[in-house]
Structures are given as structure tokens and as C-alpha cells.
Amino acid sequence: MKPIQVTVSKGDETKFQGDVAVVFVYQNKNKKIILPEIGKTYLKTVAKLGDFEGKSGQAHLVYAQEHRELKKYGVSRICFVGGGDKDGKESTVQLAEKYRDLGGKVAQKAKGVKAESIAVFADTIDETEKELAVQTLAEGIIMGSYRFDKYKKPDAEKVEKELQKLKFYGQDHFAQIKNGVTKGENSAVSVMDARDMANEPGNLWTPEQFAQYAVDVAAETGIECTVFDKKKLQSMKMGGILAVNAGSQDPPKMIVLDYKPAKYTQTIMFVGKGLTFDSGGVSLKPAAGMQDMKYDMCGGAAVLASMRAIAKEKPAVRVVGIVPSTDNMMSGTATKPGDIITHYNGLTSEVINTDAEGRLILADALAYGNKHYEPDCIIDLATLTGAVIVALGHHNTGLFSNNDKLAEMLYQSGETCGEPMWRLPLSKDYAKQLESDVADVKNVGGREGGSITAACYLEKFIEDTPWAHLDIAGTAWDFTKKSYIPKGPSGNSVRTLIEFVRNWKKTKF
Ligand code: BES
Ligand code: MN
Ligand code: ZN
């Protein structure tokens, strides 16, 4: 879909001539509707019938020109949304999720009437944390409007309309509204980017397209982009990336985006698995469901997409994003079970199963990033194991870390964003499962604790740097059903990474 044009205005909201206006309605302590100025008489009847009472999460659409008291508004429809108990004691996390959910619901209503323009009457938002409410509402509306139909023939009869304009009207707390909208838009646009990349099929989204996205982000924001091609990866002895790519027709890339402020003292590093299609290689996957393995690049997508928002927001910390990218195919030249490969840092892996390929490419990227940038902390993201879906389902990302403080910071960022994580252990006992007779490590440690041994494998490539690993295999697609999360790719973790950087203060781990 085309980017949504988002604006903020101090102007007269009655002059808005578009498709849908959003008005917030709350409840008093006794769970009774507090009738707003806009639509007072109408809502009194509706509330009496019990159809809309301002309950949190409710959304109700009316045709403004059909009601005398609403005629003075130029808009065609008004969407009343319920903010729930006005004086209720919500945590920040609950407030954020409430407005995201409402945003998603507004988007669904707007889709239902093929709305091209939405106005939010932000003065009707009654919250002390107004900036956060506006931010998460904007996030919800934009994320909820997502669609991916570029490969479908446009239907000439029912011309498909989509949301093009989103306007926030506000007289009070204008600065807060503006900040909220900017943050919400930045995050949501990155989420849309990540979903788009994931929806692209393996034949059309190759390492080349990944690199092009990063080049475009660099051109747009002025940050630095480096793309290592196959030759360069060979000369750097990136044995993991090259081994996974050995059966492929498309050359691998390693992509680096570097946001480096003029003055900084610390560096955060993100590393994302950019596996554009995972057939399993010689250890071939079963045919059923294999098409989903085009999503195996969601970690890489999250890194590059979040770098776009971060570069726009210009934090005081340096942020480096690295994405090793290739597909995993089989052919006469493909890596075979039993092969021994040498990584960037000199460690050797015995490849027991060519389908445990994500860790092989991450190993090189982690070792390179750790050595070259000496980051204060590293966060890697990967659709790494099916085992994490068995353990946590589609509702929590698996979190692994060698540092409690980093784990806690990241966990909190996830909570704030409605992208929950659950921490799983790491220990020498699990790492023992990876001992090889012929190499420094083998790439699989058996079925037991499969997500944990995968994390233990990665840990061998970061030395003692504070590091956290997010296994997003269960949450990057088919994430928990929500009004602003579509089926398929969710864009999970993009907002968590952006939030993590927004909250960053000089940290001693
Ligand atoms: N990309 C997969 C993990 C995956 C599986 C993600 C299902 C989403 C859904 C990864 O490369 C993989 O194949 N992992 C293997 C590891 C095994 C061979 C040790 C797995 O999980 O089966
Ligand atoms: Mn695999
Ligand atoms: Zn994979």
C-alpha cells in the first residue's frame, strides 16, 4: 500500500470534509456513559439500548449527516470509540495497549466503509498521559490499516480504496499531540515495512532486495550503509554465511546500517537473521508448510526497518544494525551434513543438520559486529527454532541473555509495546549438548531444549559482551490475534527495538 499521509492541525475540526472522524467517549465510576458534547442526544439513546456505552474497546460508526446535532460537522461518518473508566487506574502498559487496540478497531471500521481519510478529534482524548495515548492510537490506526495486495489484479468493478490521509486535530496540548503522532507514525511505518518484506516471496525478495532497502534507508536518513557482497565475504572468511549459501543461485549479502551521532559514548548493536527462504538445504524440510519459510527473514526485516525509525529520531547513542542474508537451498554444491566450516572468528562448526542454518549465518555476523564495533550490548533477532513455538506458542517471544540488566531492559520495552517476551535459561549444561568430536562446536544439540541449545550456540560468538537473543519464530507471524495485527507477518519486535533505543540512558552492565 502507499504510505499514509499523517498530519497534525490546530484548525477547526468541524471543517474536516473526509470519510471518518474519531471521537472518544468515556465512562464514570458507575460504568455509565459520560455523554460528550459531540453527539450527546444520539449517544444517550444508543447507550440506553446498550449498543455503545463508552466501554473500553468499543467502536460505533454513525452517519453524521443523518443526525441534526452532527450535521455541523463536514465529515461523512463519526466513529465513537470507548475509552472506558475515565478515572480508572491503568498502568502505562495497559493504557498503551488500550489505545493501540482502539486504533486497530478504528482502522477495521474505516476499512469496512473503504475510507480514504480519517480525522482524530484529539481534544476528546481525556488522559493525563496524552502523548502516549496519541502515539499508540496513531500506531494502532496505521498498523490496523495494513494490507498487502500488490500481486493481485486490481478489481475494476469495486475499485479498492485504502486509507491515504490521517489527520489529528487538537487545540489543547498541541506539542504532546504532535510528539505522539510523530513517534507513533515512525514506529508504525517501520512495522509496515517489516510486514511488506516478509510478505514478499522468496523469488522476489532476495539478499539483493534486502540490501536495496538498506541503501534506500541510508539515502533517506543520511546514515551509513555498507553492503558486503560474496567476494568480500569470501575475503573476510565468513564461513557460516558462505556455507549456507553454497547451494544457492543468488549470492549472499551482509548488510550494515550504522547510525552514528556526532557525539556518543555508547553503541547498541542489532543483528537479524535475513534468511530469504529456508528449504532446509540437504536436510530438506517436509513439503507441507514449506512456503512459510519465506518468512525466515523476519529478524533481518525487524533490524533494517527499525533502523529507519531510529535514524529519523536521532538518539544520542550509536546504533548499528547488521543483517546476514542468503537463502538455504540444496544442490550439488550445497553444504552437506558432516561438513566442517570455519567462521569469521576462527571457530569451527560441524554441520550436523543443514536446516539449523540461521545460527551459522548469525555466528559470522555476531563475531564480526562484536569485533569491529565493540558494542556495549548486542541484541539479535531470529526466526531460529520451531522448538520455541512448541514452548511458548505464538504469544511470547523467547528471550535469552547472558546479562540480567539487559534482559530486564529489553523485557520492559517489549511489555510497553505489547510485544511480550518470556525468558528461558542458558547454562553450561545445555551448551554441553553442542560438543563435537571433530570441531569446536556442532550446529545442533538434539531435540531436548532445542531453542536453548540454539541460543547457547550463538553465545559462543559474542565473547563476554552483554547480549540478548530473541527467538521470534512464533511471534513474527501468526502473532496473537489483535485488532492491529493481521494474519501472517506481524512486524513483531520492530517497535520493541525502537522503544529500547528511545529509553536508552547511559548504562553500565
Ligand atoms: N527457520 C527455521 C525455524 C522455524 C521453524 C521458524 C518453524 C519458524 C517455524 C530454522 O532454520 C530451522 O529449521 N530450525 C530447525 C532446527 C533443527 C534442525 C535443530 C528446527 O527448528 O526444526
Ligand atoms: Mn532451517
Ligand atoms: Zn531457518
Side-chain angles (χ1 to χ4, degrees), residues 114 153-161:
K114 301 194 170 60
K153 181 158 62 67
D155 190 331
E157 263 147 49
K158 55 172 180 92
V159 181
E160 293 286 338
K161 290 186 179 165

Side-chain angles (χ1 to χ4, degrees), residues 273 278 296 357:
K273 172 179 174 183
D278 182 11
D296 210 15
E357 84 298 337

Side-chain angles (χ1 to χ4, degrees), residues 385-431:
T385 66
V388 83
I389 312 178
V390 176
L392 300 174
H394 290 282
H395 310 297
N396 274 273
T397 291
L399 163 64
F400 305 81
S401 184
N402 62 357
N403 186 289
D404 291 345
K405 196 163 181 178
L406 175 61
E408 180 58 24
M409 285 162 67
L410 198 54
Y411 178 85
Q412 284 307 335
S413 298
E415 286 292 295
T416 313
C417 295
E419 297 181 331
M421 306 166 190
W422 198 255
R423 191 168 172 188
L424 294 165
L426 290 168
S427 79
K428 285 203 176 69
D429 298 325
Y430 292 101

Side-chain angles (χ1 to χ4, degrees), residues 134-147:
V134 169
Q135 175 192 331
T136 46
L137 179 77
E139 259 176 42
I141 296 177
I142 300 170
M143 289 195 291
S145 304
Y146 182 75
R147 55 205 242 173

Side-chain angles (χ1 to χ4, degrees), residues 479-499:
F479 182 43
T480 316
K481 203 167 180 286
K482 297 183 191 190
S483 61
Y484 61 90
I485 305 282
K487 271 199 293 189
S490 59
N492 189 287
S493 296
V494 169
R495 286 177 302 114
T496 296
L497 295 183
I498 298 169
E499 179 72 15

